[in-house]
Amino acid sequence: AVVSTQSGHYGRGVNCPFYFKTGACTHGDRCSRQHNSPTYSQTVLLNHMYHSPVNLSLTPEMQSVGGLTEEMLQQHFDDFFEDIYVEMVDKYGPVEELNICENLGDHLVGNIYIMFKNEEDAQKAVDGLNNRWYNGQPIDAELSPVTDFREAFCRQHAT
């Protein structure tokens, strides 16, 4: 496909740089570019698995009782992080990096990125996790193209 010089819009044959960098795209299925899932990777994406209590603390009901303290929010996050990390290491193999998205962009909210030491463990995790549930929700696991977490963030929410 060729880049249109009139609109700057890429054709369907071009890979989406946002998907390649973050494993997700703000345009989702409406994106005009390709989202090629890797056939092997060290990185696993757990789609929208983390539900931050920050969203709950913004409701009028929570505001009327004082909301959640920073300490409560941090404790919730720390407990969740530990649960996920220990589960991944115990069941699937050594984890090199674990990142949990807390931003509110629909394409990234609650995404968890787990980089395993090797690709075989990542595939084992995808196979095992797609048959499991967490907090009453099915786990949606897939291999991710993300290899460098320093670049894997949504610039829309950068400060």
Side-chain angles (χ1 to χ4, degrees):
V2 178
V3 175
S4 168
T5 55
Q6 293 178 1
S7 68
H9 187 75
Y10 290 88
R12 190 69 184 150
V14 176
N15 290 332
C16 176
F18 304 111
Y19 178 80
F20 183 74
K21 193 163 54 171
T22 66
C25 175
T26 189
H27 303 293
D29 294 337
R30 296 181 321 273
C31 185
S32 62
R33 303 173 193 172
Q34 290 182 348
H35 297 167
N36 294 317
S37 296
T39 54
Y40 56 89
S41 175
Q42 288 176 259
T43 306
V44 172
L45 167 61
L46 305 180
N47 286 292
H48 312 297
M49 186 171 159
Y50 178 64
H51 299 283
S52 173
V54 169
N55 297 337
L56 177 63
S57 69
L58 298 176
T59 65
E61 295 82 19
M62 284 301 292
Q63 292 295 325
S64 69
V65 296
L68 298 171
T69 66
E70 283 295 319
E71 293 79 20
M72 293 166 76
L73 294 172
Q74 187 62 52
Q75 187 62 51
H76 179 271
F77 181 84
D78 292 346
D79 291 345
F80 181 82
F81 188 96
E82 183 178 356
D83 284 349
I84 298 301
Y85 184 84
V86 169
E87 182 81 6
M88 295 304 109
V89 171
D90 286 353
K91 285 207 168 35
Y92 306 112
V95 170
E96 292 193 345
E97 197 164 347
L98 174 70
N99 290 286
I100 300 173
C101 294
E102 289 187 282
N103 63 317
L104 300 177
D106 289 343
H107 62 299
L108 292 175
V109 67
N111 283 356
I112 302 170
Y113 296 88
I114 307 153
M115 181 178 281
F116 287 89
K117 187 171 182 169
N118 63 62
E119 295 166 351
E120 294 80 14
D121 290 340
Q123 185 62 58
K124 188 168 53 169
V126 168
D127 294 343
L129 291 167
N130 276 322
N131 297 315
R132 300 198 39 208
W133 291 66
Y134 184 87
N135 200 24
Q137 301 289 321
I139 297 174
D140 178 16
E142 63 186 60
L143 294 176
S144 173
V146 176
T147 57
D148 183 357
F149 291 104
R150 292 171 298 181
E151 290 296 318
F153 66 93
C154 179
R155 302 253 192 285
Q156 179 181 7
H157 299 283
T159 56

